[in-house]
Amino acid sequence: MATSDSTLSSRNDGGSVGIIKPQTAIFNDLLKLKCGRTLDNYELIYETYGELNATASNAVLVCHALSGHHHAAGLHYASDQKPGWWDTMIGPGKPIDTRKFFVVCPNNLGGCHGSTGPSTVNLETSTPFGPNFPIITVADWVETQHRLGLYLGIHQWAAVIGGSLGGMQALQWAIDYPGEIRHSIVIASAPKLSAQNIAFNEIARQAILSDPDYHGGHYYLTHSYPRRGLTLARMLGHVTYLSDYTMREKFGRELKSGTLNFDYGAEFQIESYLRYQGETFSSFFDANTYLLMTKALDYFDPASEHNNNLCTALQKTLSQFLIISFSTDWRFSPERSEEIVNALLKNKKPVTYAAIDAPQGHDSFLLNIKRYHDLMRTYFNRINI
Amino acid sequence: MATSDSTLSSRNDGGSVGIIKPQTAIFNDLLKLKCGRTLDNYELIYETYGELNATASNAVLVCHALSGHHHAAGLHYASDQKPGWWDTMIGPGKPIDTRKFFVVCPNNLGGCHGSTGPSTVNLETSTPFGPNFPIITVADWVETQHRLGLYLGIHQWAAVIGGSLGGMQALQWAIDYPGEIRHSIVIASAPKLSAQNIAFNEIARQAILSDPDYHGGHYYLTHSYPRRGLTLARMLGHVTYLSDYTMREKFGRELKSGTLNFDYGAEFQIESYLRYQGETFSSFFDANTYLLMTKALDYFDPASEHNNNLCTALQKTLSQFLIISFSTDWRFSPERSEEIVNALLKNKKPVTYAAIDAPQGHDSFLLNIKRYHDLMRTYFNRINI
């Protein structure tokens, strides 16, 4: 659907990284989490694209957003119809050029695509963690990603990059490991959630928590699944990812059948689109992970440890920053990116800010929008390795 | 909560209409609905404030919005702590001054506060209509309100007024009965829903429809109730009624207990506020009525019968118009009101447009905002009776 938009680039901007085999790193070192709990051991599934150079100076860490995972680029098998979620951005000749960079993308701790998370069996109880899996914060992710870097022989990332919740990780990296990141690239993100953002997350959580099939989070054992709740949560999320303009352009008030049915079936195209999106998502995503991811969003607030002063929070950063916002993003509006930019400027930190005029709303960060990709290409070209 | 806002008037702008007894009008004349179905008989519960004058020239019809009802002003008993929903607007010395006007406010057909609706027993089956109650449109409401007017001896309304879905009824009145309405007052409304508006309604509907306690709408017979679904629907609605600014001012990121709990209980104030709002609402509102009201919103599109030309739809109107929008209303933004204004201007119709600068979002229309109430007072003062 996205490719029909005139603002999207139809050029073939580069090649594919080809067929990719996910890898798993096993960590047996104690992980102390922000919530006060610990994990004795955990696994992270990840993919890499390109080659790490001899000095390990060309590594780029890609951090995924709420519903993302480690499969950012390439295919899993030859006839795979669905490339990784950022395949237009990562590859030979693409903005994050794998001929120059070694790209690493893990599935975050707490995820449901292979990393240790709520659906993992807790060895102490021989049952899935479920709702007993600790709530993970953005800072916890940064710590696990840091360990993954060391495991791969990477002592400093050329860049850490992400959109939305991924951008929050890129920002936290600059704060937590200032000497180990040269560029922090924060796209369509915010320094913390607004009350409205939290409100939407809370409704999504309540949809899941109140689904009778949630069974207090122990649905793995009941052979049921809170499909209805997760479907609602995703439908709601989806509305916040799209701009009002995009919805109007894509769906307007078009009716599926051409006439009103006077019943409660899906009759406007937007209704069937949302139902499809919600139902598809709920068929493969774990509800407990969804809850956990929304909490990580709600809790992200690096200024909170610095008297609610974002400026102070960013004082010790050493990296360069690229902050990108999209004009019609109403989930994390350009003003939210500018809060980060202004705090960096006050600190006289090196920051580039691009406010991209794009009609596609929050989802823009995932799309092949020409000005956005051109900017990224130029920026990454200039990164010294 | 609202009274703490500095933009709200703290003046006592007038008196109360006092203790009001709702009345019921029984109609035994066939009602042909837009969906093609008919109702042989139906009842409308309504309240009136003030006195109808000898020439019946001072009648004002107040149309309620999605979750509203006939109790717009006054109290139901002496110690009643909760006056009608528009008590700040209607009363002696208030903007709609009951010393001058005779105000009528019915509960709409399909409602759940006393008018015939899904929870009414269908005499043909001796069970509640439930999901078999026909879907009602704004034009159907106008027809029933027209009949209520005749029943009360009102052949022309001095004004028909409403906010949000109520504003749509005021607009439809001007189209359907041009000779029987002198002023159409359309507040915080739109000439039709956007795809985003429909999307939010659809999520609310799915929350109700997918609640196992909905029982296909026949929950009246099962002694269950889709409380969870209706709670979610109302929580979502509530987010769209408040502006981002209001949420920030009221709730910010304040924590209930002061520290993060790292669990899924309500810990930000916005979460407990929304849960409370949703749960309270679901304790007294009928889920089938909620579904019906959202459909009436989705279907409202007077231009659709005129080649999607709003200008043509408004061509035969004879009333004067007052259109009011609020700057931070993102449910029905000022641009949506301006669509109506522009269509009226193109037709050279007499229209007054007020874009009120108010931080409270869509809910503004219900609040005692000084500039808004001053404007209403002046406008109603000038209406000849």
Side-chain angles (χ1 to χ4, degrees), chain A residues 224-251:
Chain A
S224 66
Y225 189 68
R227 183 187 53 74
R228 289 171 295 230
L230 189 56
T231 297
L232 288 171
R234 181 60 169 183
M235 288 171 78
L236 179 54
H238 217 85
V239 176
T240 70
Y241 305 151
L242 300 178
S243 68
D244 192 30
Y245 174 88
T246 301
M247 278 209 180
R248 193 160 55 242
E249 290 298 302
K250 277 187 181 172
F251 308 107

mmCIF file of all heavy atoms in Angstrom, chain A residues 224-251:
data_model
loop_
_atom_site.group_PDB
_atom_site.id
_atom_site.type_symbol
_atom_site.label_atom_id
_atom_site.label_comp_id
_atom_site.label_asym_id
_atom_site.label_seq_id
_atom_site.Cartn_x
_atom_site.Cartn_y
_atom_site.Cartn_z
ATOM 1 N N SER A 224 -5.382 -21.197 25.770
ATOM 2 C CA SER A 224 -6.200 -20.095 25.271
ATOM 3 C C SER A 224 -5.229 -18.952 24.972
ATOM 4 O O SER A 224 -4.025 -19.081 25.189
ATOM 5 C CB SER A 224 -7.224 -19.663 26.313
ATOM 6 O OG SER A 224 -6.563 -19.117 27.431
ATOM 7 N N TYR A 225 -5.765 -17.866 24.495
ATOM 8 C CA TYR A 225 -4.900 -16.755 24.123
ATOM 9 C C TYR A 225 -5.723 -15.475 24.075
ATOM 10 O O TYR A 225 -6.815 -15.495 23.504
ATOM 11 C CB TYR A 225 -4.251 -17.018 22.748
ATOM 12 C CG TYR A 225 -3.202 -16.002 22.437
ATOM 13 C CD1 TYR A 225 -2.018 -15.978 23.167
ATOM 14 C CD2 TYR A 225 -3.409 -15.033 21.469
ATOM 15 C CE1 TYR A 225 -1.058 -15.010 22.933
ATOM 16 C CE2 TYR A 225 -2.458 -14.066 21.229
ATOM 17 C CZ TYR A 225 -1.284 -14.060 21.968
ATOM 18 O OH TYR A 225 -0.348 -13.099 21.743
ATOM 19 N N PRO A 226 -5.256 -14.383 24.653
ATOM 20 C CA PRO A 226 -6.064 -13.147 24.664
ATOM 21 C C PRO A 226 -6.051 -12.452 23.297
ATOM 22 O O PRO A 226 -5.646 -11.304 23.179
ATOM 23 C CB PRO A 226 -5.381 -12.304 25.753
ATOM 24 C CG PRO A 226 -3.963 -12.752 25.744
ATOM 25 C CD PRO A 226 -3.999 -14.220 25.408
ATOM 26 N N ARG A 227 -6.528 -13.170 22.320
ATOM 27 C CA ARG A 227 -6.517 -12.703 20.941
ATOM 28 C C ARG A 227 -7.345 -11.435 20.763
ATOM 29 O O ARG A 227 -6.946 -10.483 20.097
ATOM 30 C CB ARG A 227 -7.066 -13.818 20.036
ATOM 31 C CG ARG A 227 -7.064 -13.528 18.545
ATOM 32 C CD ARG A 227 -7.786 -14.623 17.762
ATOM 33 N NE ARG A 227 -9.139 -14.893 18.273
ATOM 34 C CZ ARG A 227 -10.193 -14.107 18.107
ATOM 35 N NH1 ARG A 227 -10.080 -12.977 17.440
ATOM 36 N NH2 ARG A 227 -11.377 -14.426 18.615
ATOM 37 N N ARG A 228 -8.525 -11.416 21.390
ATOM 38 C CA ARG A 228 -9.405 -10.248 21.257
ATOM 39 C C ARG A 228 -8.733 -8.995 21.804
ATOM 40 O O ARG A 228 -8.742 -7.934 21.180
ATOM 41 C CB ARG A 228 -10.718 -10.478 22.004
ATOM 42 C CG ARG A 228 -11.625 -11.499 21.361
ATOM 43 C CD ARG A 228 -12.783 -11.804 22.289
ATOM 44 N NE ARG A 228 -12.275 -12.440 23.500
ATOM 45 C CZ ARG A 228 -12.761 -13.559 24.009
ATOM 46 N NH1 ARG A 228 -13.786 -14.150 23.439
ATOM 47 N NH2 ARG A 228 -12.240 -14.090 25.095
ATOM 48 N N GLY A 229 -8.145 -9.128 22.989
ATOM 49 C CA GLY A 229 -7.515 -7.974 23.620
ATOM 50 C C GLY A 229 -6.330 -7.467 22.818
ATOM 51 O O GLY A 229 -6.173 -6.255 22.616
ATOM 52 N N LEU A 230 -5.511 -8.398 22.340
ATOM 53 C CA LEU A 230 -4.332 -7.992 21.578
ATOM 54 C C LEU A 230 -4.746 -7.380 20.240
ATOM 55 O O LEU A 230 -4.118 -6.428 19.763
ATOM 56 C CB LEU A 230 -3.400 -9.196 21.374
ATOM 57 C CG LEU A 230 -2.026 -8.887 20.782
ATOM 58 C CD1 LEU A 230 -1.274 -7.845 21.611
ATOM 59 C CD2 LEU A 230 -1.189 -10.159 20.677
ATOM 60 N N THR A 231 -5.812 -7.906 19.646
ATOM 61 C CA THR A 231 -6.330 -7.328 18.399
ATOM 62 C C THR A 231 -6.740 -5.871 18.616
ATOM 63 O O THR A 231 -6.375 -4.982 17.840
ATOM 64 C CB THR A 231 -7.532 -8.147 17.890
ATOM 65 O OG1 THR A 231 -7.088 -9.469 17.590
ATOM 66 C CG2 THR A 231 -8.146 -7.526 16.643
ATOM 67 N N LEU A 232 -7.488 -5.628 19.687
ATOM 68 C CA LEU A 232 -7.909 -4.251 20.007
ATOM 69 C C LEU A 232 -6.700 -3.353 20.236
ATOM 70 O O LEU A 232 -6.643 -2.217 19.752
ATOM 71 C CB LEU A 232 -8.788 -4.239 21.256
ATOM 72 C CG LEU A 232 -10.200 -4.792 21.117
ATOM 73 C CD1 LEU A 232 -10.842 -4.903 22.493
ATOM 74 C CD2 LEU A 232 -11.049 -3.904 20.208
ATOM 75 N N ALA A 233 -5.730 -3.877 20.995
ATOM 76 C CA ALA A 233 -4.534 -3.092 21.306
ATOM 77 C C ALA A 233 -3.823 -2.676 20.022
ATOM 78 O O ALA A 233 -3.403 -1.529 19.864
ATOM 79 C CB ALA A 233 -3.598 -3.900 22.199
ATOM 80 N N ARG A 234 -3.705 -3.614 19.105
ATOM 81 C CA ARG A 234 -3.004 -3.322 17.860
ATOM 82 C C ARG A 234 -3.800 -2.359 16.973
ATOM 83 O O ARG A 234 -3.236 -1.495 16.318
ATOM 84 C CB ARG A 234 -2.732 -4.623 17.108
ATOM 85 C CG ARG A 234 -1.994 -4.449 15.805
ATOM 86 C CD ARG A 234 -0.644 -3.801 15.976
ATOM 87 N NE ARG A 234 0.139 -3.884 14.752
ATOM 88 C CZ ARG A 234 1.384 -3.449 14.641
ATOM 89 N NH1 ARG A 234 1.998 -2.891 15.665
ATOM 90 N NH2 ARG A 234 2.039 -3.566 13.508
ATOM 91 N N MET A 235 -5.115 -2.531 16.946
ATOM 92 C CA MET A 235 -5.957 -1.617 16.163
ATOM 93 C C MET A 235 -5.746 -0.184 16.660
ATOM 94 O O MET A 235 -5.585 0.752 15.867
ATOM 95 C CB MET A 235 -7.438 -1.994 16.298
ATOM 96 C CG MET A 235 -7.830 -3.274 15.565
ATOM 97 S SD MET A 235 -9.533 -3.813 15.958
ATOM 98 C CE MET A 235 -10.493 -2.680 14.942
ATOM 99 N N LEU A 236 -5.745 -0.042 17.972
ATOM 100 C CA LEU A 236 -5.569 1.276 18.556
ATOM 101 C C LEU A 236 -4.183 1.835 18.238
ATOM 102 O O LEU A 236 -4.045 2.994 17.825
ATOM 103 C CB LEU A 236 -5.783 1.190 20.075
ATOM 104 C CG LEU A 236 -5.626 2.478 20.860
ATOM 105 C CD1 LEU A 236 -6.516 3.572 20.294
ATOM 106 C CD2 LEU A 236 -5.969 2.238 22.329
ATOM 107 N N GLY A 237 -3.172 0.973 18.426
ATOM 108 C CA GLY A 237 -1.814 1.410 18.089
ATOM 109 C C GLY A 237 -1.748 1.899 16.657
ATOM 110 O O GLY A 237 -1.212 2.969 16.363
ATOM 111 N N HIS A 238 -2.356 1.126 15.777
ATOM 112 C CA HIS A 238 -2.286 1.444 14.356
ATOM 113 C C HIS A 238 -2.847 2.825 14.042
ATOM 114 O O HIS A 238 -2.308 3.542 13.199
ATOM 115 C CB HIS A 238 -3.030 0.370 13.571
ATOM 116 C CG HIS A 238 -2.345 0.061 12.287
ATOM 117 N ND1 HIS A 238 -1.313 -0.838 12.201
ATOM 118 C CD2 HIS A 238 -2.499 0.576 11.058
ATOM 119 C CE1 HIS A 238 -0.880 -0.872 10.965
ATOM 120 N NE2 HIS A 238 -1.582 -0.031 10.248
ATOM 121 N N VAL A 239 -3.924 3.195 14.699
ATOM 122 C CA VAL A 239 -4.513 4.524 14.453
ATOM 123 C C VAL A 239 -3.510 5.617 14.825
ATOM 124 O O VAL A 239 -3.421 6.645 14.148
ATOM 125 C CB VAL A 239 -5.830 4.705 15.240
ATOM 126 C CG1 VAL A 239 -6.383 6.115 15.070
ATOM 127 C CG2 VAL A 239 -6.871 3.699 14.770
ATOM 128 N N THR A 240 -2.730 5.361 15.871
ATOM 129 C CA THR A 240 -1.767 6.392 16.282
ATOM 130 C C THR A 240 -0.518 6.397 15.399
ATOM 131 O O THR A 240 0.263 7.333 15.454
ATOM 132 C CB THR A 240 -1.336 6.232 17.762
ATOM 133 O OG1 THR A 240 -0.528 5.068 17.901
ATOM 134 C CG2 THR A 240 -2.542 6.132 18.680
ATOM 135 N N TYR A 241 -0.327 5.339 14.616
ATOM 136 C CA TYR A 241 0.841 5.309 13.733
ATOM 137 C C TYR A 241 0.580 6.050 12.428
ATOM 138 O O TYR A 241 1.510 6.472 11.749
ATOM 139 C CB TYR A 241 1.263 3.866 13.382
ATOM 140 C CG TYR A 241 1.516 2.980 14.577
ATOM 141 C CD1 TYR A 241 1.313 1.616 14.519
ATOM 142 C CD2 TYR A 241 1.966 3.527 15.788
ATOM 143 C CE1 TYR A 241 1.544 0.807 15.631
ATOM 144 C CE2 TYR A 241 2.189 2.721 16.889
ATOM 145 C CZ TYR A 241 1.972 1.361 16.800
ATOM 146 O OH TYR A 241 2.190 0.562 17.900
ATOM 147 N N LEU A 242 -0.687 6.139 12.056
ATOM 148 C CA LEU A 242 -1.034 6.767 10.773
ATOM 149 C C LEU A 242 -1.442 8.219 11.004
ATOM 150 O O LEU A 242 -2.031 8.546 12.028
ATOM 151 C CB LEU A 242 -2.200 6.024 10.119
ATOM 152 C CG LEU A 242 -1.987 4.545 9.794
ATOM 153 C CD1 LEU A 242 -3.264 3.958 9.192
ATOM 154 C CD2 LEU A 242 -0.831 4.363 8.819
ATOM 155 N N SER A 243 -1.168 9.053 10.039
ATOM 156 C CA SER A 243 -1.649 10.432 10.126
ATOM 157 C C SER A 243 -3.102 10.483 9.687
ATOM 158 O O SER A 243 -3.577 9.615 8.956
ATOM 159 C CB SER A 243 -0.811 11.344 9.237
ATOM 160 O OG SER A 243 -1.042 11.030 7.877
ATOM 161 N N ASP A 244 -3.793 11.520 10.128
ATOM 162 C CA ASP A 244 -5.160 11.735 9.686
ATOM 163 C C ASP A 244 -5.174 11.868 8.153
ATOM 164 O O ASP A 244 -6.046 11.321 7.475
ATOM 165 C CB ASP A 244 -5.692 13.018 10.353
ATOM 166 C CG ASP A 244 -7.188 13.179 10.195
ATOM 167 O OD1 ASP A 244 -7.879 12.147 10.107
ATOM 168 O OD2 ASP A 244 -7.659 14.323 10.167
ATOM 169 N N TYR A 245 -4.161 12.542 7.626
ATOM 170 C CA TYR A 245 -4.065 12.733 6.172
ATOM 171 C C TYR A 245 -3.956 11.387 5.446
ATOM 172 O O TYR A 245 -4.666 11.136 4.476
ATOM 173 C CB TYR A 245 -2.847 13.611 5.853
ATOM 174 C CG TYR A 245 -2.585 13.732 4.369
ATOM 175 C CD1 TYR A 245 -3.196 14.732 3.616
ATOM 176 C CD2 TYR A 245 -1.735 12.829 3.717
ATOM 177 C CE1 TYR A 245 -2.965 14.833 2.248
ATOM 178 C CE2 TYR A 245 -1.500 12.923 2.351
ATOM 179 C CZ TYR A 245 -2.113 13.920 1.627
ATOM 180 O OH TYR A 245 -1.891 14.010 0.278
ATOM 181 N N THR A 246 -3.048 10.543 5.934
ATOM 182 C CA THR A 246 -2.859 9.241 5.280
ATOM 183 C C THR A 246 -4.142 8.435 5.308
ATOM 184 O O THR A 246 -4.526 7.805 4.320
ATOM 185 C CB THR A 246 -1.745 8.434 5.987
ATOM 186 O OG1 THR A 246 -0.555 9.190 5.945
ATOM 187 C CG2 THR A 246 -1.518 7.101 5.309
ATOM 188 N N MET A 247 -4.813 8.450 6.442
ATOM 189 C CA MET A 247 -6.074 7.710 6.546
ATOM 190 C C MET A 247 -7.073 8.239 5.536
ATOM 191 O O MET A 247 -7.789 7.474 4.899
ATOM 192 C CB MET A 247 -6.659 7.890 7.943
ATOM 193 C CG MET A 247 -6.054 6.977 8.943
ATOM 194 S SD MET A 247 -7.283 6.635 10.218
ATOM 195 C CE MET A 247 -6.320 5.568 11.233
ATOM 196 N N ARG A 248 -7.136 9.559 5.426
ATOM 197 C CA ARG A 248 -8.091 10.170 4.491
ATOM 198 C C ARG A 248 -7.742 9.764 3.066
ATOM 199 O O ARG A 248 -8.602 9.365 2.290
ATOM 200 C CB ARG A 248 -8.066 11.689 4.645
ATOM 201 C CG ARG A 248 -9.191 12.401 3.977
ATOM 202 C CD ARG A 248 -9.427 13.801 4.538
ATOM 203 N NE ARG A 248 -8.261 14.659 4.515
ATOM 204 C CZ ARG A 248 -7.671 15.181 5.589
ATOM 205 N NH1 ARG A 248 -8.135 14.916 6.789
ATOM 206 N NH2 ARG A 248 -6.612 15.958 5.486
ATOM 207 N N GLU A 249 -6.429 9.835 2.743
ATOM 208 C CA GLU A 249 -5.999 9.505 1.383
ATOM 209 C C GLU A 249 -6.209 8.028 1.074
ATOM 210 O O GLU A 249 -6.623 7.658 -0.013
ATOM 211 C CB GLU A 249 -4.517 9.855 1.203
ATOM 212 C CG GLU A 249 -4.233 11.341 1.188
ATOM 213 C CD GLU A 249 -4.909 12.054 0.032
ATOM 214 O OE1 GLU A 249 -4.642 11.679 -1.118
ATOM 215 O OE2 GLU A 249 -5.720 12.968 0.286
ATOM 216 N N LYS A 250 -5.912 7.183 2.062
ATOM 217 C CA LYS A 250 -5.997 5.735 1.819
ATOM 218 C C LYS A 250 -7.432 5.245 1.848
ATOM 219 O O LYS A 250 -7.816 4.375 1.087
ATOM 220 C CB LYS A 250 -5.223 4.973 2.904
ATOM 221 C CG LYS A 250 -3.735 4.879 2.661
ATOM 222 C CD LYS A 250 -3.111 3.950 3.705
ATOM 223 C CE LYS A 250 -1.611 3.852 3.495
ATOM 224 N NZ LYS A 250 -0.944 3.118 4.578
ATOM 225 N N PHE A 251 -8.207 5.776 2.801
ATOM 226 C CA PHE A 251 -9.517 5.177 3.068
ATOM 227 C C PHE A 251 -10.682 6.139 2.898
ATOM 228 O O PHE A 251 -11.780 5.725 2.577
ATOM 229 C CB PHE A 251 -9.562 4.608 4.493
ATOM 230 C CG PHE A 251 -8.431 3.700 4.810
ATOM 231 C CD1 PHE A 251 -7.417 4.098 5.656
ATOM 232 C CD2 PHE A 251 -8.374 2.445 4.227
ATOM 233 C CE1 PHE A 251 -6.358 3.249 5.943
ATOM 234 C CE2 PHE A 251 -7.320 1.591 4.513
ATOM 235 C CZ PHE A 251 -6.307 2.001 5.371
#
